[in-house]
Amino acid sequence: SQQGEEDPQALSIQEGENATMNCSYKTSINNLQWYRQNSGRGLVHLILIRSNEREKHSGRLRVTLDTSKKSSSLLITASRAADTASYFCATDAKGSNYQLIWGAGTKLIIKP
Amino acid sequence: DTAVSQTPKYLVTQMGNDKSIKCEQNLGHDTMYWYKQDSKKFLKIMFSYNNKELIINETVPNRFSPKSPDKAHLNLHINSLELGDSAVYFCASSHLGSQETQYFGPGTRLLVL
């Protein structure tokens, strides 16, 4: 079942701008992960944030988590053409037997 | 050096045929997964195996049968293929645990005619 919903479904920005994607989920979670999928490829893990964390950084990526609103955001700063991809959030819901529940993804296009 | 590999990469076949997709991982993981990604990019878990034992079996037609001969391999056999089976199938692996990263294969693009 789909738990996460990414917002927006698609985002097109100029190279150098910041890109923000949001993910909402429905049930209590242990952690939330973000993955990237380049066209025609498999998914690649970007970052994991635990339910007791509010913010996490990795290079140009910044992830926030608001468990009271059941939402997370992924910020990519100083975007590059190579950031063009689809971005998915996945939650490890409590009691889910380690199963990840995936959102529908945000398609990000970086215009040169 | 490929961490998670799948074969074939592309599969075009007629309705009613039986086909298999193979997956191998060399990461030493104990858990492997099969996902289906439809044309709208929804990613849906189909099966998960831990140490060759089935731990997740979502609502999938019984025409789909996974087989794990050892921890490094998880194959997917599909009987009597239907048009609606057309999708991209991804294999993934990880250590078992709620905070473990999943590593994905490149996908198998299945087209049923």
Side-chain angles (χ1 to χ4, degrees), chain B residues 57-86:
Chain B
N57 184 0
E58 287 295 293
T59 307
V60 176
N62 57 15
R63 298 181 295 103
F64 291 79
S65 53
K67 281 190 172 55
S68 182
D70 55 56
K71 285 197 309 181
H73 295 85
L74 181 62
N75 304 322
L76 184 65
H77 188 76
I78 315 171
N79 289 327
S80 302
L81 278 155
E82 300 178 356
L83 295 177
D85 298 332
S86 295

Side-chain angles (χ1 to χ4, degrees), chain A residues 11 13 17-22 34 46-47 55-64 72-79 83 87 108:
Chain A
L11 179 62
I13 61 173
E17 294 180 342
N18 295 342
T20 299
M21 290 158 274
N22 302 298
W34 283 92
L46 293 176
I47 197 166
E55 188 170 312
K56 203 161 182 181
H57 296 254
S58 177
R60 293 183 296 113
L61 306 181
R62 173 178 167 250
V63 169
T64 62
S72 172
S73 67
L74 171 67
L75 168 68
I76 304 174
T77 59
S79 63
D83 295 330
Y87 292 82
L108 175 65

Side-chain angles (χ1 to χ4, degrees), chain A residues 2-102:
Chain A
Q2 297 290 339
Q3 149 138 282
E5 292 183 7
E6 278 92 342
D7 162 45
Q9 288 188 334
L11 179 62
S12 180
I13 61 173
Q14 289 295 139
E15 194 168 19
E17 294 180 342
N18 295 342
T20 299
M21 290 158 274
N22 302 298
C23 168
S24 60
Y25 56 91
K26 297 173 184 171
T27 62
S28 295
I29 62 172
N30 295 308
N31 60 69
L32 184 146
Q33 303 184 45
W34 283 92
Y35 285 76
R36 183 187 73 229
Q37 183 180 31
N38 289 85
S39 180
R41 301 286 187 91
L43 283 77
V44 175
H45 179 259
L46 293 176
I47 197 166
L48 178 150
I49 186 165
R50 296 182 177 84
S51 59
N52 62 354
E53 297 176 312
R54 291 296 166 258
E55 188 170 312
K56 203 161 182 181
H57 296 254
S58 177
R60 293 183 296 113
L61 306 181
R62 173 178 167 250
V63 169
T64 62
L65 179 64
D66 187 336
T67 53
S68 67
K69 294 181 179 178
K70 292 187 169 58
S71 67
S72 172
S73 67
L74 171 67
L75 168 68
I76 304 174
T77 59
S79 63
R80 305 168 182 168
D83 295 330
T84 294
S86 291
Y87 292 82
F88 293 85
C89 69
T91 53
D92 173 27
K94 292 184 178 180
S96 66
N97 195 23
Y98 308 129
Q99 179 181 342
L100 289 182
I101 309 297
W102 297 83

